[in-house]
Amino acid sequence: MKYSICLLLAVTLVGLASSLVYASDPSPLQDFCVAVNDSNAAVFVNGKICKDPKMVTADDFYFSGLDKPGNTSNSVGSRVTQVTVNQLAGLNTLGISLVRIDYAPQGLNPPHTHPRATEVLVVVEGTLYVGFVTSNPADPNMKNKLFTKILHPGDVFVFPEGLIHFQFNVGKKKAVAFAGLSSQNPGVITIANAVFGSDPSISRDVLTKAFQVDKNVIKYLQSQF
């Protein structure tokens, strides 16, 4: 019964996100697309190569597994199960995708951003503290604004496209949420991983100045990623 409700909520999220399709796609669906003078190059902008329609089957539009909990035994205590065009080929060009997020007690989906999608999240189990931060204000004397909310089962929250956001399980039991995203390939940039775990590493001089901390702090943080 519980997962029947989850499925209904997931379908509702997809429907909500579909109304945002034209707001996101057909903007680029990859980080970059470098021009190449090669007619055999098999890289397309805004989508993957299309399958011959005569060869398409129902399985191309089918995915199974969102009823299964993700493994949260990791350093942040959360797991995202994606259903993007990479897992469900039938999503190609449709500008929509879906994820399931599992949280251990005190589990965190750390601050991150989706460069190509707005996210609509619904909680189906547990209690989450969620929020997003606005982009830099025009007035340099003002600070980025944080919007937060405590969510319970059935509650919905929207994370606008491109803005840094997070979810944290503040309950003593596991939590589960589903989210619809307004792109077939929304992308994700986890802030800490990108800043402190890039390859090659960002110069410690750059990070020391940016974060206004001792260089040894930066060295420690980079060692964690």
Side-chain angles (χ1 to χ4, degrees):
M1 179 65 180
K2 179 174 67 177
Y3 284 103
S4 295
I5 296 174
C6 292
L7 178 60
L8 177 60
L9 289 169
V11 171
T12 302
L13 283 174
V14 171
L16 287 170
S18 66
S19 66
L20 302 168
V21 167
Y22 295 107
S24 295
D25 303 340
S27 59
L29 293 177
Q30 57 282 317
D31 289 339
F32 47 77
C33 182
V34 179
V36 59
N37 294 319
D38 181 1
S39 60
N40 295 319
V43 177
F44 283 29
V45 175
N46 282 16
K48 295 180 179 289
I49 299 171
C50 294
K51 190 175 185 178
D52 184 339
K54 296 190 294 295
M55 304 297 293
V56 171
T57 70
D59 286 338
D60 292 315
F61 303 96
Y62 172 78
F63 177 90
S64 178
L66 285 187
D67 60 321
K68 297 178 177 62
N71 183 0
T72 59
S73 298
N74 53 57
S75 59
V76 294
S78 71
R79 177 70 62 184
V80 178
T81 303
Q82 300 183 3
V83 187
T84 70
V85 69
N86 297 314
Q87 292 79 35
L88 182 54
L91 288 175
N92 193 37
T93 75
L94 299 184
I96 196 167
S97 58
L98 179 70
V99 298
R100 169 182 171 141
I101 314 169
D102 289 274
Y103 313 81
Q106 301 299 297
L108 171 70
N109 190 11
H112 62 282
T113 177
H114 301 293
R116 296 180 286 275
T118 290
E119 177 180 343
V120 184
L121 179 136
V122 59
V123 177
V124 297
E125 184 177 348
T127 304
L128 296 179
Y129 168 64
V130 307
F132 68 86
V133 181
T134 61
S135 56
N136 294 355
D139 184 348
N141 296 314
M142 295 179 64
K143 295 184 177 182
N144 304 66
K145 187 171 183 178
L146 172 66
F147 292 87
T148 64
K149 198 75 175 175
I150 298 293
L151 303 184
H152 304 281
D155 291 345
V156 175
F157 199 80
V158 176
F159 304 107
E161 179 175 342
L163 298 186
I164 296 172
H165 59 282
F166 60 87
Q167 302 107 35
F168 180 60
N169 181 5
V170 293
K172 296 181 180 180
K173 299 181 179 179
K174 69 176 183 177
V176 181
F178 288 87
L181 297 111
S182 60
S183 172
Q184 68 184 49
N185 185 23
V188 60
I189 303 170
T190 305
I191 307 306
N193 297 59
V195 172
F196 298 109
S198 66
D199 184 16
S201 299
I202 299 175
S203 165
R204 287 176 185 164
D205 291 330
V206 171
L207 296 179
T208 297
K209 186 130 188 169
F211 288 93
Q212 298 291 293
V213 295
D214 187 87
K215 188 174 289 189
N216 287 326
V217 174
I218 298 299
K219 182 179 180 181
Y220 170 77
L221 289 171
Q222 288 180 325
S223 72
Q224 302 304 300
F225 296 90

